[in-house]
Amino acid sequence: MKVQNQNYIMVWMDKNSLYIFVLFVWLLMTSDLSSQNINCSDIKWIDYEIKTDSTFAYYDSIKLAEIDGVLFNKINEEIIKKIFNNRVNDDPFYYLSHYFLTQTKSSLNPQLGFTSFVTNAYCVNKIFSYQIEGYTIGAKQLFYQYINYDFQKERNIVLEDIVIESKEGSFKKFMSDYMNRNKNEIIENLKELLQSSMGYYSLNYLDVLDNPAYDFNKIHIKNEINLRYFNSKGIIFSLQFRDINLLEIENHYQYDGFLDSFILVSYKDLKDFIYSDFYPNN
């Protein structure tokens, strides 16, 4: 009996030692990557098929970053957090291994529905920008998530980080003028969002927006924007506005609020207002 206990203890130590060793290697790799002078050219974006298990069911592939052939790095850690909604006590090492590097289990009975993902990645200088588009069967609409991350400073980027401090006032005026000059683009982007929605008033809205008598002068844009993401053409900002053209529908459905849309502004137009880190060819 004493020998059996000793054997059990040795097996337990072996298993835990193996786990600690693997964890140590992962921490070592991520520490090395954090300390390296990483450039966008060092990143190889690979489509990894996301695996399905009995709790979550997924379709499609997710773009993950390989740096020197290593998948376990800070960039993917940020992506995993978004994909799995920042779950408490989650270990990115586990999710990368379990959902991307193992085989899909058979005889599935997912508890939380099937989710389809589309991901897009863009990198400029020391900044990577990542867009997640997801749709869960049974949900009313698509959902979007964004990562804008400085992997040199290891921090997420917000709007205030990209605008030159001394240009904040002129930037706000520029954006206000730009949005009011490009209301047609804002409406086209709203249509794109509505077409992916299953809200009960979406079709009614689209009927009004497509009407030849639609009046752009009845749009009132809030002078507040947020950073969405970067791409090769420019920066996409989210915005809100009221549309008096839709007032009859809103009154009918007792919906009173601002609509969400977005607008793309080219790097050329933004060059005088944002730090050089955030546009190409600096």
Side-chain angles (χ1 to χ4, degrees):
M1 187 69 180
K2 185 176 180 180
V3 174
Q4 289 178 344
N5 287 339
Q6 289 177 340
N7 290 338
Y8 173 78
I9 292 171
M10 291 180 64
V11 171
W12 182 88
M13 289 179 64
D14 288 343
K15 288 182 178 178
N16 281 270
S17 297
L18 178 61
Y19 175 78
I20 292 171
F21 173 75
V22 173
L23 184 60
F24 172 76
V25 171
W26 171 65
L27 290 172
L28 183 62
M29 289 188 297
T30 54
S31 298
D32 287 344
L33 287 171
S34 298
S35 62
Q36 290 176 357
N37 186 23
I38 301 171
N39 295 301
C40 291
S41 58
D42 299 323
I43 302 172
K44 186 177 182 180
W45 292 101
I46 305 293
D47 289 325
Y48 275 84
E49 182 183 354
I50 187 167
K51 309 301 182 182
T52 299
D53 65 13
S54 58
T55 303
F56 302 98
Y58 302 102
Y59 294 118
D60 304 315
S61 299
I62 305 297
K63 290 187 182 299
L64 293 176
E66 288 188 359
I67 303 175
D68 294 331
V70 177
L71 192 63
F72 300 101
N73 55 63
K74 186 64 178 178
I75 294 175
N76 288 335
E77 183 178 347
E78 295 300 315
I79 293 171
I80 290 299
K81 287 179 183 178
K82 286 291 184 181
I83 293 289
F84 294 97
N85 299 315
N86 293 302
R87 300 183 190 281
V88 179
N89 297 324
D90 283 349
D91 179 2
F93 174 80
Y94 165 78
Y95 279 96
L96 281 169
S97 300
H98 186 74
Y99 287 96
F100 296 96
L101 301 178
T102 61
Q103 296 296 318
T104 300
K105 296 180 181 179
S106 58
S107 303
L108 299 175
N109 183 24
Q111 302 168 16
L112 301 179
F114 288 83
T115 300
S116 176
F117 289 108
V118 176
T119 56
N120 293 294
Y122 174 74
C123 191
V124 57
N125 305 325
K126 301 291 184 180
I127 311 300
F128 92 89
S129 189
Y130 195 86
Q131 178 187 10
I132 301 169
E133 178 183 304
Y135 175 76
T136 301
I137 295 176
K140 290 185 176 181
Q141 59 186 20
L142 289 169
F143 61 88
Y144 297 91
Q145 292 180 301
Y146 308 99
I147 305 170
N148 298 291
Y149 191 81
D150 185 328
F151 50 77
Q152 184 178 43
K153 298 178 180 178
E154 295 190 16
R155 64 185 179 92
N156 288 294
I157 298 162
V158 295
L159 179 62
E160 289 75 17
D161 296 323
I162 73 174
V163 180
I164 300 171
E165 189 174 357
S166 62
K167 300 290 185 70
E168 288 179 359
S170 55
F171 171 73
K172 289 180 180 179
K173 184 179 185 307
F174 163 77
M175 286 300 300
S176 177
D177 293 342
Y178 189 92
M179 290 187 294
N180 280 285
R181 288 197 311 269
N182 293 278
K183 291 180 177 179
N184 58 327
E185 181 181 343
I186 292 172
I187 294 303
E188 288 302 314
N189 292 336
L190 174 63
K191 290 180 185 178
E192 178 183 325
L193 295 173
L194 289 173
Q195 286 167 354
S196 63
S197 171
M198 297 175 62
Y200 55 83
Y201 48 76
S202 298
L203 294 177
N204 301 79
Y205 276 15
L206 288 169
D207 286 341
V208 174
L209 297 175
D210 288 329
N211 192 314
Y214 183 84
D215 187 356
F216 287 98
N217 293 319
K218 293 183 178 181
I219 295 176
H220 302 287
I221 303 172
K222 289 180 69 174
N223 289 328
E224 297 176 12
I225 58 171
N226 282 303
L227 173 65
R228 264 190 136 189
Y229 61 98
F230 302 80
N231 67 19
S232 59
K233 297 179 180 179
I235 301 177
I236 294 84
F237 299 94
S238 60
L239 59 96
Q240 291 187 319
F241 66 96
R242 286 300 308 275
D243 190 344
I244 307 303
N245 296 283
L246 303 170
L247 189 59
E248 183 177 343
I249 297 174
E250 291 178 353
N251 289 339
H252 176 76
Y253 288 109
Q254 296 183 338
Y255 174 80
D256 183 17
F258 286 87
L259 296 169
D260 296 310
S261 189
F262 61 92
I263 192 166
L264 168 69
V265 186
S266 70
Y267 292 111
K268 179 181 178 181
D269 289 330
L270 290 169
K271 197 167 185 178
D272 292 336
F273 306 105
I274 65 175
Y275 292 107
S276 58
D277 290 345
F278 299 99
Y279 55 81
N281 305 318
N282 63 326

